[in-house]
Amino acid sequence: MPHSTSVRYGSWLKAPVRSQLGTISLVGSIKDTRGINPQSMRILGSYALILIRSGKGRYQDANGRDLSFKAGDVILVFPDLPHAYGPNASRKWEQIYTVFNGPQFELLQGAGILNPANPIWSLGAVDHWQHRLEEIFQVSPPQGELSSARTLGRFSALLSDMAATQAETKLSPGDAWLGESMHLLAEPSSQGWLTPQEAAQRVGLSYENFRKLFAKRVGESPGAFQKRRRIEHACAMIYQSSRSLKDLADEHGFCDVFHFSKVFSQVMGESPSAYRKRVNGS
C-alpha cells in the first residue's frame, strides 16, 4: 500500500477481529469531535489506542494526570481507568482509533509495555504510524482463528514498536550510555546474553555505579531488567514456535529447565507450559 498522507474517515473494520488471544473490536478515524468532558470521565471497559493525526488537546484521568497532547502523540486508554480527552478550544483535530481487549494485551500491560502511569506516547512521524495501522487494518483480513491471531500479533508488535520509540525519545544526549546498555541487556549477541557486569564494562562504568544509575533511571536493576527481557523473548518464541523448554532455557541463558521455569513463573505468574497452553488456545 502506498504511504498515505490523508485519512479515510469512518470504520476500517467490517467485523471485529476475534481470537482466543484477544479481540480488536473497532478501528477507524474521525475528526473534529467534542471529546469527553473531564467533569464526567468515561470508563471504556477496553483498551484503546488513539493516534492524534492533527490538532492539540488535553488528557485527564482518575489517577490525577493532566497532560497535553499534539499531532504525532498516542493516547492509551485502559479498561477500568476513568478518563477524558478532547481538543483545545478550536475543536479542530483528527484521530485514528483502535479499541481492543483480551489476554494478549493484558500480558503487554503485565510486562510494562502498556502502562497506565504513561498514558501519552510522544512519537512524531504521524504518517509513518498511520501507514503501519493501514497495513494491518485497511485491507480486511479473512476471518478465522489463525488469520485473526496473525492480525492480533501484528498489532501487538506495533504497540511494542511504539513503546520502544517512546522510550528512545525520552533519552537525552547525556543518556547515550543508558540507551546502549538497555540494548546490550535486552538482546542476545552472537556469543549469547551479556551479564550486567559485562554491559557496565562496555559503557565504561564501574558495575556499582552502573547498577545505581540504571536503577534510578529505569526503575529496576540491570539484572531485573534483563531477566524480564529474557522472559519476554521466551514468550515470543513459545508463541511463534514449538521449541522444547530445554531449548528455550539454553537459548535464553538459563542453566537448566528448572531455573528457566522458576524465573518464567516469577515474571509471568504462570509456568511456561501453562503459558504455552493458554496462547495456543488449548
Side-chain angles (χ1 to χ4, degrees), residues 37-110:
N37 187 341
Q39 302 303 316
S40 54
M41 291 185 178
R42 182 174 68 175
I43 298 176
L44 182 60
S46 297
Y47 295 93
L49 180 144
I50 314 296
L51 173 64
I52 304 302
R53 184 73 184 83
S54 66
K56 299 179 180 180
R58 297 201 70 79
Y59 165 91
Q60 297 170 278
D61 64 34
N63 289 335
R65 289 174 179 81
D66 186 349
L67 305 169
S68 61
F69 62 79
K70 62 187 183 304
D73 288 355
V74 158
I75 301 171
L76 292 170
V77 171
F78 292 83
D80 300 319
L81 179 61
H83 64 280
Y85 61 88
N88 59 15
S90 72
R91 292 184 181 170
K92 296 292 184 182
W93 69 326
E94 301 171 289
Q95 59 169 293
I96 299 172
Y97 60 88
T98 308
V99 179
F100 50 99
N101 220 330
Q104 179 85 351
F105 307 109
E106 292 165 7
L107 283 173
L108 291 178
Q109 182 172 347

Side-chain angles (χ1 to χ4, degrees), residues 203-278:
V203 299
L205 295 171
S206 70
Y207 177 67
E208 188 61 24
N209 194 31
F210 172 70
R211 184 183 63 79
K212 290 179 180 178
L213 290 172
F214 190 99
K216 181 178 181 181
R217 294 303 309 275
V218 179
E220 59 185 344
S221 71
F225 171 83
Q226 186 184 60
K227 179 171 72 173
R228 179 168 53 80
R229 289 296 294 140
R230 285 193 291 168
I231 295 304
E232 289 168 2
H233 270 266
C235 286
M237 298 308 296
I238 290 172
Y239 175 58
Q240 296 170 3
S241 74
S242 57
R243 282 181 173 85
S244 68
L245 296 187
K246 184 181 184 307
D247 287 343
L248 290 170
D250 291 341
E251 291 171 16
H252 293 87
F254 294 93
C255 59
D256 54 37
V257 172
F258 175 78
H259 186 217
F260 168 66
S261 297
K262 180 179 179 181
V263 174
F264 191 102
S265 297
Q266 289 172 347
V267 174
M268 300 303 299
E270 60 184 333
S271 70
S273 298
Y275 176 83
R276 170 168 278 157
K277 288 181 180 179
R278 183 160 60 80

Side-chain angles (χ1 to χ4, degrees), residues 130-253:
Q130 175 187 329
H131 179 60
R132 293 281 302 274
L133 285 163
E134 288 172 347
E135 286 184 320
I136 298 172
F137 295 117
Q138 284 205 340
V139 176
S140 297
Q143 296 298 305
E145 177 65 25
L146 292 177
S147 61
S148 295
R150 181 174 60 183
T151 299
L152 264 76
R154 294 179 67 194
F155 180 62
S156 296
L158 174 62
L159 289 172
S160 297
D161 286 347
M162 286 179 164
T165 299
Q166 162 70 5
E168 290 165 1
T169 61
K170 293 173 70 175
L171 297 178
S172 68
D175 286 331
W177 69 271
L178 181 58
E180 183 181 357
S181 62
M182 291 176 74
H183 175 73
L184 291 170
L185 292 169
E187 301 289 340
S189 69
S190 57
Q191 288 78 42
W193 293 82
L194 293 179
T195 66
Q197 290 81 359
E198 289 170 332
Q201 187 176 23
R202 292 279 188 95
V203 299
L205 295 171
S206 70
Y207 177 67
E208 188 61 24
N209 194 31
F210 172 70
R211 184 183 63 79
K212 290 179 180 178
L213 290 172
F214 190 99
K216 181 178 181 181
R217 294 303 309 275
V218 179
E220 59 185 344
S221 71
F225 171 83
Q226 186 184 60
K227 179 171 72 173
R228 179 168 53 80
R229 289 296 294 140
R230 285 193 291 168
I231 295 304
E232 289 168 2
H233 270 266
C235 286
M237 298 308 296
I238 290 172
Y239 175 58
Q240 296 170 3
S241 74
S242 57
R243 282 181 173 85
S244 68
L245 296 187
K246 184 181 184 307
D247 287 343
L248 290 170
D250 291 341
E251 291 171 16
H252 293 87

